Amino acid sequence: RSCGASRQCRPHSCWSLVRMADATKKPAKASILNLDRFMEKEIRVKFTGGREVVGVLKGWDQLLNLVLDTTTEYLRDPDDAYKVSEATRALGLVVCRGTQVVVVMPTDGMDEIQNPFIQEE
């Protein structure tokens, strides 16, 4: 059997290359971020551009798309665009696009985690 690429192609030579490529595939990388411990808890999210919201985490995926319920947005100070004021507006149930998420943090404090980039010896 020939692959049909050219007349000089030997039978099964292209198929063996495909099998070798499949054998050398690296396993999919696991996400270093695990938000499962924050499910059904209130979190604060900062976005590209300076927006900040607080809401209850209902779901997330590997791209960091977030689903937040009872969400409140903290509005920016009209005099200083880089400063967040105490003025808020209720948003309710929202889906946050993961490409815009900069920081995800719990509202009830911080937890120390193991550095995922340190390699064990």
Side-chain angles (χ1 to χ4, degrees):
R1 225 169 86 180
S2 177
C3 69
S6 70
R7 291 178 185 231
Q8 298 173 352
C9 181
R10 290 180 289 159
H12 303 290
S13 64
C14 290
W15 299 111
S16 62
L17 289 175
V18 170
R19 272 188 255 125
M20 285 182 0
D22 288 341
T24 60
K25 281 186 183 176
K26 295 180 181 176
K29 289 187 178 180
S31 177
I32 62 169
L33 185 63
N34 186 0
L35 296 177
D36 285 338
R37 61 188 168 156
F38 300 121
M39 290 294 290
E40 301 298 328
K41 294 182 183 172
E42 195 172 67
I43 60 170
R44 185 178 201 106
V45 181
K46 293 185 180 186
F47 298 98
T48 304
R51 286 188 167 185
E52 293 185 30
V53 298
V54 172
V56 177
L57 183 64
K58 294 292 185 179
W60 65 284
D61 65 10
Q62 70 273 14
L63 300 174
L64 205 58
N65 296 314
L66 305 174
V67 178
L68 301 175
D69 197 11
T70 61
T71 307
T72 304
E73 179 183 7
Y74 285 85
L75 302 174
R76 288 185 259 181
D77 189 346
D79 299 329
D80 186 2
Y82 296 105
K83 185 178 177 185
V84 177
S85 69
E86 291 300 316
T88 62
R89 71 175 176 169
L91 299 177
L93 183 67
V94 296
V95 176
C96 306
R97 186 174 169 95
T99 58
Q100 299 300 308
V101 173
V102 176
V103 176
V104 177
M105 59 187 150
T107 57
D108 62 348
M110 296 185 197
D111 292 334
E112 187 173 337
I113 63 168
Q114 179 181 341
N115 186 342
F117 300 107
I118 294 178
Q119 294 181 358
E120 300 291 324
E121 291 183 23

